[in-house]
Amino acid sequence: MTINGVELDELIDVPAGLRNVVAAETRLGDVRGQEGFYHYRQYSAIELASACTFEEVWFLLFEGRLPDRDELTEFTGEVAQSRLLPTELLPILSTIAAGGDPFRPMVGLRTALSMLAAIRDLQPVWDGDRASRKADALLICAVTPTILAALHRLHRGLEPVVPRADLSTASNWLYMLTGELPHPQAVRAIEQYLIATIDHGFNPSTFTARVVASTGADVASAVIAAIGAFSGPLHGGAPDRALDGVDEIGSVDRIDGWVRDKLAKGDRVMGFGHAVYRTADPRSVLLRDISIGLGGELVEFATTVERRVTEVLAELKPGRDLYTNVEFYAGVVMELCGIPRSMFTPTFATSRVVGWTANILEQADTAKVIRPSARYVGPPAPQPVPPRAGQSV
Ligand SMILES: CC(C)(COP(=O)(O)OP(=O)(O)OC[C@H]1O[C@@H](n2cnc3c(N)ncnc32)[C@H](O)[C@@H]1OP(=O)(O)O)[C@@H](O)C(=O)NCCC(=O)NCCS
């Protein structure tokens, strides 16, 4: 018997969840789980977060090199233009923002991007050239924060704030959410968070984006599919839940009991554990430092929670190497920078969309559809279809 022309006994079984399976080649970067290291192109992502602006790293991922001054000026000009909401989208955003309790901005984004793709008539990547694909990718990345901030404000009965060409991506994000010019320390903290979360190997949403791009579909379709994968709490939907956990604990004397209760019920501690890292998540280390720089009671308590929860997890789940992941301190940093909790995951999406589209552009350069197989484990087939009620034989 054959599947896709391959003898059944020639099928290759891979570990559940495709762990450690190499599914493509990439020049975008890598995650080294054992070392606690990841990089974009040939540079440490953490070093980039310390040394660069978000736009420089975005350019690096799209173009394969850091920009010189003229290239950066031209690139930021294009981004500023593409940030503006197409006027046709405004009434649609108002309709989306009117629904949902609690309101789910990521659902709104997915819907709005679909409308944008229709309004702008985005073509399948298969039909376009590299320049048109890149223009579509840049449009989607630039407009994503504007859509999310507009949805957030419209849902609260506020007018959307028009992005300013003289502000960076990070600064505009805080400005569009609050309507006020943000403090430079908050801007830099959020900018570093955004840089550190642009890309991270073949995580579920990135893989989803690449699968869709591999069929030749348009950039928006691939991003919308990625948003679906990203919205799950086991992936991008955890920073608010992680901070909710810290709030729920409330005081140092409650940490142990809280963790033990959770694990006894078979629950997971949000903001801990990672599919790839078996040591400290370097993003968590960076964000802890940023949090400490911002200071305050929340940071002091969060660092105590981190220390004690890690110890209890080591005792209850020996050999699992469970440490804080990116979400734990991401929530702390965002809270301290004045981002509402409902906008934590959307903030993550404003950076990850750059990683998704960089992956989509790379995937679109190869003409191979991603199409694995499944091993059938149901009752042996074929069996006769049983007679249907009321049917004559
Ligand atoms: C991120 C995550 C999905 C990765 O999981 P994974 O590498 O596939 O690990 P597994 O699901 O195989 O879990 C391995 C073991 O560790 C346990 N574990 C993993 N993360 C845990 C957590 N956060 N809290 C408690 N136990 C956890 C699992 O229960 C499992 O235990 P078992 O072998 O006794 O059944 C997982 O760590 C998790 O659910 N974390 C919480 C959600 C979160 O923070 N998500 C954001 C990710 S960036």
Side-chain angles (χ1 to χ4, degrees), residues 19 235 268-275 317 320 322 325 327:
R19 289 303 143 79
H235 185 14
R268 298 208 169 181
V269 183
M270 290 294 158
F272 285 77
H274 195 270
K317 295 275 175 191
R320 300 291 183 214
L322 299 170
N325 59 46
E327 311 277 28

Side-chain angles (χ1 to χ4, degrees), residues 81-152:
Q81 272 301 314
S82 304
R83 257 191 212 120
L84 300 168
L85 280 182
T87 42
E88 306 95 306
L89 213 54
L90 260 173
I92 295 160
L93 292 184
S94 300
T95 309
I96 299 171
D101 186 23
F103 180 58
R104 294 181 211 285
M106 294 301 292
V107 171
L109 174 67
R110 147 161 87 58
T111 312
L113 286 180
S114 211
M115 301 300 299
L116 177 74
I119 292 165
R120 287 292 175 93
D121 194 22
L122 259 56
Q123 296 300 306
V125 295
W126 182 256
D127 295 332
D129 56 14
R130 196 145 212 281
S132 70
R133 299 200 283 261
K134 216 181 274 177
D136 292 348
L138 189 132
L139 167 70
I140 288 175
C141 294
V143 84
T144 284
T146 318
I147 290 174
L148 284 165
L151 285 170
H152 170 70

Side-chain angles (χ1 to χ4, degrees), residues 225-341:
I227 291 170
F230 186 73
S231 65
L234 297 190
H235 185 14
D240 47 328
R241 294 173 195 242
L243 197 58
D244 288 346
V246 174
D247 283 351
E248 220 175 285
I249 293 171
S251 60
V252 176
D253 56 307
R254 286 172 40 87
I255 302 175
D256 279 44
W258 183 85
V259 184
R260 286 176 200 283
D261 266 14
K262 266 214 163 319
L263 267 72
K265 283 191 263 168
D267 289 349
R268 298 208 169 181
V269 183
M270 290 294 158
F272 285 77
H274 195 270
V276 178
Y277 290 122
R278 289 296 167 258
T279 177
D281 180 336
R283 300 166 301 176
S284 167
V285 176
L286 172 81
L287 292 166
R288 188 205 292 128
D289 287 350
I290 295 172
S291 304
I292 291 170
L294 293 167
E297 267 176 36
L298 174 62
V299 181
E300 270 177 41
F301 184 52
T303 48
T304 310
V305 169
E306 177 196 13
R307 206 169 34 247
R308 190 56 202 146
V309 171
T310 308
E311 285 165 3
V312 178
L313 285 174
E315 180 199 321
L316 299 178
K317 295 275 175 191
R320 300 291 183 214
D321 300 317
L322 299 170
Y323 305 99
T324 46
N325 59 46
V326 63
E327 311 277 28
F328 187 79
Y329 283 104
V332 176
V333 169
M334 286 191 258
E335 179 103 338
L336 294 176
C337 292
I339 296 178
R341 247 172 241 205

Side-chain angles (χ1 to χ4, degrees), residues 5-123:
V6 179
E7 287 298 329
L8 198 54
D9 56 9
E10 284 177 29
L11 286 176
I12 305 157
D13 273 314
V14 294
L18 304 185
R19 289 303 143 79
N20 300 321
V21 172
V22 173
E25 289 190 342
T26 181
R27 293 178 186 281
L28 292 171
D30 195 17
V31 181
R32 298 192 206 147
Q34 298 295 338
E35 286 171 51
F37 172 77
Y38 71 114
H39 57 105
Y40 302 155
R41 303 289 183 179
Q42 64 272 43
Y43 307 112
S44 152
I46 297 298
E47 222 177 298
L48 288 168
S50 305
C52 298
T53 64
F54 182 75
E55 290 75 11
E56 283 175 308
V57 183
W58 178 351
F59 185 98
L60 170 72
L61 278 163
F62 272 31
E63 304 295 340
R65 61 177 198 288
L66 284 164
D68 62 28
R69 198 184 302 177
D70 290 345
E71 286 172 327
L72 185 61
T73 307
E74 192 184 333
F75 184 69
T76 48
E78 283 172 35
V79 170
Q81 272 301 314
S82 304
R83 257 191 212 120
L84 300 168
L85 280 182
T87 42
E88 306 95 306
L89 213 54
L90 260 173
I92 295 160
L93 292 184
S94 300
T95 309
I96 299 171
D101 186 23
F103 180 58
R104 294 181 211 285
M106 294 301 292
V107 171
L109 174 67
R110 147 161 87 58
T111 312
L113 286 180
S114 211
M115 301 300 299
L116 177 74
I119 292 165
R120 287 292 175 93
D121 194 22
L122 259 56
Q123 296 300 306

